[in-house]
């Protein structure tokens, strides 16, 4: 019985490498999303630590009031959330551009999802670390008690700062960065050939 040896089909090898390459990109994308969520949770701790919540003082008549400074601090939570989100969004966009720039346009939805997930996780962690809902605490407070408001995002547009900053980095990298498909210009001086002898 003769044994027939067949040479491997090159198309099968290229299809296998493409499948392995896609699996590696998907794995890196999942790890990137998990890292972005971890960064969002850490940002939530920072947000909770830096925000000074305004305090309402319960009066003898059952009403509550705050100072003029307390009114100005009312939007501090949103301001800090936006500032932290802008910095974290820049970091997410830069990391995504460094790691995934070769995959092309899918890097944009990837950074949108990653930065939006980080923003929502930051919001949730800050809420959980904060004092909680304001009305029940105010209703249970005794006369003269100081009751801080809840830590939350009041202006929903503050959440959009995170993906805006991340996408901005990717778009700037795509428009101003070097294109890997084009050859790099070489500015070399012509070599001098030494005369023989």
């Amino acid at each position: 019985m003769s044994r027939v040896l067949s040479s491997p089909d090159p198309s099968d090898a290229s299809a296998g490498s493409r499948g392995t390459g896609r699996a590696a990109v998907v794995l890196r994308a999942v790890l990137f999303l998990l890292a972005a969520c971890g960064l969002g949770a850490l940002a939530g701790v920072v947000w909770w630590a830096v925000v000074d919540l305004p305090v309402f003082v319960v009066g003898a008549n059952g009403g509550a009031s705050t100072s003029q400074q307390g009114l100005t601090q009312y939007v501090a939570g949103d301001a800090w959330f936006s500032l932290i989100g802008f910095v974290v969004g820049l970091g997410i966009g830069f990391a995504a551009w460094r790691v995934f720039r070769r995959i092309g346009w899918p890097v944009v939805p990837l950074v949108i999802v990653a930065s939006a997930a980080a923003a929502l996780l930051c919001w949730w962690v800050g809420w959980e670390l904060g004092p909680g809902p304001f009305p029940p605490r105010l209703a249970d407070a005794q006369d003269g008690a100081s009751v801080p408001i809840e830590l939350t995002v009041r202006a929903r547009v503050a959440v959009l700062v995170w993906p805006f900053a991340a996408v901005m980095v990717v778009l700037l990298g795509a428009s101003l960065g070097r294109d890997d498909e084009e050859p790099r210009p070489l500015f070399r001086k012509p070599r001098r050939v030494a005369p023989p002898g």
Side-chain angles (χ1 to χ4, degrees), residues 54-71 74 134 138 144-149:
V55 173
F56 280 78
V57 178
V58 180
N61 59 354
S65 62
T66 187
S67 64
Q68 187 70 28
Q69 182 182 1
L71 292 176
Y74 205 80
F134 179 63
L138 185 62
S146 298
V147 183
I149 66 170

Side-chain angles (χ1 to χ4, degrees), residues 102-129:
R102 294 185 186 275
I103 68 172
W105 66 266
V107 72
V108 173
L110 178 64
V111 296
I112 290 174
V113 171
S115 56
L120 294 175
L121 201 56
C122 175
W123 187 356
W124 179 76
V125 169
W127 170 264
E128 289 295 323
L129 292 176

